[in-house]
Amino acid sequence: VAQLWTARDLAGIRILITAGPTREALDPVRFISNRSSGKMGYALAAAATAAGAEVTLVSGPVTLPVPAGVKHISVESAQDMYAATFQSIDNQDIFIGTAAVADYRPASVATQKMKKGQTDTDITLTLVRNPDILAAVAATQKVFTVGFAAETEHLLEHARQKLINKKINMIAANWVGVDRGFERDDNALTVLWSDGEIQLPYAPKATLAQQLIRVVIERYRQGNV
Ligand code: CTP
Ligand code: CA
C-alpha cells in the first residue's frame, strides 16, 4: 500500500470525515471534552483531497489548519456533529468517523455560570448518552462506513466487536493512552473488515492517512456497500 496516487485517482468520490473532539457544555464557560487532536482526521482529509476526492470535514474544536480544497464544517457538541453529518450525508459515498465523540453530555446546561455555593459540599453531575453518529450513518445503508477504535486494552477484540455492533464496513484500530495515539504525529493502525485485516505499521500520520485511504478505496471499489 506504499505507492501514491495521481491527483485524479479518486475523482468523483465524495467522502465525509468527522474529526477532533466534541465539547459538551456544562454552562457558558465550562465543558467536558477529551484529548483528541484531530490530526488523523485532518491528515485523511488532506490525503483524500490530494488524490482527487471531494472531502467534507465535520470537525470539533481543534487547532489545525484546514487542508486546501476541503469543505470544512465547524461544530462543537456531539449533537451538533450529528446534525451537521446528516445534513451532508445524502450526497456522500464514504463516511469515515475519526472524531472522538463524547459518549455523554451533561443532562442540563446552566444558562449562567454555575456558582460554588455557600457550603463546601460535593456536587454530582448527571450525564446522558449522546447519539452514535457512526452507527446511525451505517444504519442508513447508503454509504460505505469506516470507524476508528481507540483503545487502552484488548485492542483487536474491542475493534472487531465495534465493527459488528455498529454494522460498519471497516474499522481502524489504534492504541491510545500515555504517549500513544492522541496528540501525536505518528501512529500505527490495524484495519479490520468482515473477512480480513491489514496492519499499517508505525508511521507519520500523513503517511498512514495515504495508506488508510488506499485500503478504504480498495474495499469500497469491491462493492462493499
Ligand atoms: N462514534 C460516533 N458517535 C459516538 C461515539 C462514537 O460516531 N457517539 C464513532 C467514533 O467516531 C469512532 C467509533 O464510533 O469512529 C468508535 O468510537 P469509540 O469511542 O471507540 O467507541 P464507542 O462505541 O463509543 O465505545 P466505547 O467508547 O465505550 O469504547
Ligand atoms: Ca466512545
Side-chain angles (χ1 to χ4, degrees), residues 9-202:
D9 277 357
L10 302 192
I13 297 185
R14 300 159 301 180
I15 307 179
L16 191 150
I17 300 171
T18 63
T22 64
R23 285 181 180 174
E24 310 300 323
L26 276 159
D27 71 15
V29 296
R30 302 187 178 99
F31 56 81
I32 295 173
S33 192
N34 60 65
R35 295 185 188 281
S36 170
S37 65
K39 281 176 184 163
M40 196 66 221
Y42 278 60
L44 285 168
T49 304
E54 200 180 298
V55 176
T56 302
L57 182 60
V58 177
S59 177
V62 298
T63 55
L64 302 169
V66 178
V70 169
K71 181 181 174 193
H72 183 255
I73 302 171
S74 184
V75 298
E76 193 145 312
S77 68
Q79 289 177 302
D80 293 346
M81 187 174 276
Y82 183 98
T85 296
F86 274 85
Q87 231 156 56
S88 300
I89 202 67
D90 282 349
N91 306 313
Q92 305 295 328
D93 302 302
I94 298 172
F95 173 87
I96 307 179
T98 74
V101 184
D103 293 326
Y104 299 92
R105 66 178 181 276
S108 62
V109 184
T111 53
Q112 305 300 330
K113 187 184 167 201
M114 292 165 68
K115 302 303 289 178
K116 274 210 299 286
Q118 301 308 317
T119 59
D120 56 1
T121 50
D122 298 340
I123 63 163
T124 302
L125 275 180
T126 302
L127 303 177
V128 296
R129 271 287 276 273
N130 272 325
D132 189 317
I133 302 165
L134 175 60
V137 170
T140 68
Q141 297 190 321
K142 286 185 178 146
V143 290
F144 187 89
T145 46
V146 184
F148 269 73
E151 308 288 350
T152 58
E153 59 175 2
H154 309 302
L155 178 65
L156 297 185
E157 298 92 306
H158 283 158
R160 198 160 282 285
Q161 205 55 55
K162 283 173 185 173
L163 180 75
I164 294 164
N165 291 348
K166 294 173 192 265
K167 298 186 168 68
I168 56 179
N169 297 98
M170 301 184 94
I171 194 154
N174 71 289
W175 292 103
V176 289
V178 177
D179 236 21
R180 292 196 296 205
F182 285 10
E183 296 177 320
R184 286 187 56 129
D185 290 323
D186 55 6
N187 208 347
L189 295 173
T190 304
V191 190
L192 312 174
W193 55 96
S194 61
D195 56 358
E197 66 177 73
I198 189 171
Q199 184 72 40
L200 303 179
Y202 244 84

